[in-house]
Amino acid sequence: MLALKRLVTILVMIFLVLALLVLLLPSVQTSFVGMAGSAESLYYTLLAVAVVLLSLHLLTENLDSTLLRREMAASDRKINELKARLYDNQLEQQRAAERPPVSPRTGVTTYPDQPLYPQSDPSLSNAPMQQPNTIIPPADDSSRPL
């Protein structure tokens, strides 16, 4: 597209230089009138070529502008998508940083200062005996299963 646009621009410039030469220099004008047949036909031909070149130039400029706008829109969409991903990643990192850190379990066992048993409440079924340090005599060996 860029090559076509440059070509049309060069053609327009060449035509403008040629048209200025024909209009401003009488010697060039007489030679071109001789080729065209009459001054009227020369001016009509210059007008027709000018209209064609101008329309071609406008067409290529508008087409190039449209293509550039499409490329810019695609680039803007891609940039917005990347910004959204970045924002999501930053938000996720911020949430992860705000979470309370999980303390690792070390495997160290702690025991309470006061023993849980024997309990001192006599109404409970597992209350300590009156004499907790007494030795319970062993059962008879004959009643023990083998």
Side-chain angles (χ1 to χ4, degrees):
M1 183 66 209
L2 186 61
L4 179 64
K5 182 180 169 187
R6 286 181 180 171
L7 179 69
V8 170
T9 304
I10 290 171
L11 287 175
V12 167
M13 287 182 192
I14 290 172
F15 174 76
L16 285 176
V17 168
L18 187 65
L20 286 174
L21 284 174
V22 168
L23 294 175
L24 297 178
L25 296 175
S27 62
V28 176
Q29 185 177 9
T30 57
S31 66
F32 272 90
V33 167
M35 285 190 303
S38 71
E40 237 177 55
S41 64
L42 175 64
Y43 293 129
Y44 282 131
T45 305
L46 285 177
L47 179 66
V49 172
V51 167
V52 168
L53 283 177
L54 180 64
S55 62
L56 188 61
H57 186 67
L58 288 174
L59 182 70
T60 55
E61 286 291 331
N62 286 336
L63 188 60
D64 187 50
S65 176
T66 302
L67 292 175
L68 286 176
R69 272 190 248 121
R70 284 184 186 170
E71 288 177 16
M72 288 298 296
S75 297
D76 286 342
R77 282 192 300 271
K78 184 68 175 175
I79 288 171
N80 285 338
E81 179 183 326
L82 292 173
K83 282 181 181 179
R85 283 185 191 171
L86 178 65
Y87 179 75
D88 290 342
N89 288 341
Q90 287 177 347
L91 195 60
E92 184 64 33
Q93 288 176 355
Q94 185 180 10
R95 286 181 186 156
E98 289 175 355
R99 289 185 197 138
V102 178
S103 59
R105 301 186 92 171
T106 59
V108 176
T109 307
T110 57
Y111 296 102
D113 294 336
Q114 298 288 332
L116 297 176
Y117 295 100
Q119 295 177 355
S120 60
D121 189 4
S123 65
L124 295 175
S125 61
N126 61 352
M129 299 185 308
Q130 294 297 333
Q131 299 170 346
N133 291 332
T134 59
I135 298 175
I136 300 174
D140 189 0
D141 283 340
S142 61
S143 63
R144 189 186 280 185
L146 291 174

